[in-house]
Amino acid sequence: EETGAAYTPHRLSFATDEQRAPAFLAINPKGRVPALVTDRGVLTETPAILVYLAQSAPEAGLIPADPFELAELQAVTSYLCSTFHVNHAHKVRGSRWADRPESLEDMKAKVPQTMAASAAMLERTYRGPWVMGARYTVADAYVYTCTRWLPGDGVELSAYPHLAAHAEAMAARPAVQRALAVQG
């Protein structure tokens, strides 16, 4: 939405394991989301997709041109996918890491603590008014997605004033409103 590029969204049903169905595995053999089908092939992994989209629409200014600033942005998105997202996944997809019911329950019980720690890390590194400072970037979209999980994971967003203000600013963006409308 932020790039203005045409796209056709497809929402998968995790309830029916659609991400493991042959049709989706033909697109992404990892059986994970997201996957972006392009005219050059399929891209997976959120940080890679975000940089691709931003570089495909340079006029949108969604990533910094400076190599160090871009690396800082990539550090944020990498943290989100390798830590924040994984902490969240322990609640609903713990079977990736454990089989015993008591292990799964331990993982679920720990989610509020690990998600609060992740939110605290983002809160400390937040530059404002956007994640990377004065300029809106693709990192903002990813942070917004992740912070929307906090209430369901037992974490009050209001405990993190920068993230709460960010969520409010993101919800006001027309592109975000359009994307949320597409999600239903």
Side-chain angles (χ1 to χ4, degrees), residues 57-99:
E59 66 283 356
L62 297 173
I63 58 173
D66 178 78
F68 186 81
E69 291 176 10
L70 176 58
E72 288 181 312
L73 178 141
Q74 289 175 310
V76 170
T77 60
S78 293
Y79 175 77
L80 291 170
C81 78
S82 67
T83 303
F84 202 109
H85 199 143
V86 173
N87 290 341
H88 170 71
H90 281 114
K91 178 181 170 190
V92 292
R93 292 185 287 283
S95 61
R96 290 181 182 167
W97 299 278
D99 293 317

Side-chain angles (χ1 to χ4, degrees), residues 2-149:
E2 293 284 355
T3 67
Y7 70 100
T8 304
H10 179 82
R11 187 175 188 152
L12 295 177
S13 169
F14 291 120
T16 62
D17 276 341
E18 189 178 353
Q19 74 277 15
R20 292 190 182 96
F24 186 72
L25 291 174
I27 294 168
N28 184 0
K30 296 173 187 175
R32 304 269 177 97
V33 296
L36 178 66
V37 179
T38 76
D39 58 352
R40 295 182 61 192
V42 176
L43 293 172
T44 63
E45 307 304 330
T46 301
I49 292 170
L50 290 174
V51 169
Y52 169 79
L53 290 171
Q55 289 182 331
S56 295
E59 66 283 356
L62 297 173
I63 58 173
D66 178 78
F68 186 81
E69 291 176 10
L70 176 58
E72 288 181 312
L73 178 141
Q74 289 175 310
V76 170
T77 60
S78 293
Y79 175 77
L80 291 170
C81 78
S82 67
T83 303
F84 202 109
H85 199 143
V86 173
N87 290 341
H88 170 71
H90 281 114
K91 178 181 170 190
V92 292
R93 292 185 287 283
S95 61
R96 290 181 182 167
W97 299 278
D99 293 317
R100 294 190 319 225
E102 62 272 19
S103 298
L104 295 170
E105 289 307 312
D106 281 346
M107 278 192 283
K108 286 179 187 177
K110 187 91 171 167
V111 167
Q113 180 184 347
T114 59
M115 290 299 283
S118 291
M121 173 62 72
L122 285 178
E123 181 77 8
R124 284 191 304 273
T125 59
Y126 189 85
R127 295 182 183 168
W130 300 108
V131 173
M132 303 304 297
R135 192 166 137 208
Y136 178 89
T137 68
V138 293
D140 291 289
Y142 200 8
V143 166
Y144 181 61
T145 298
C146 291
T147 57
R148 286 172 49 92
W149 301 332

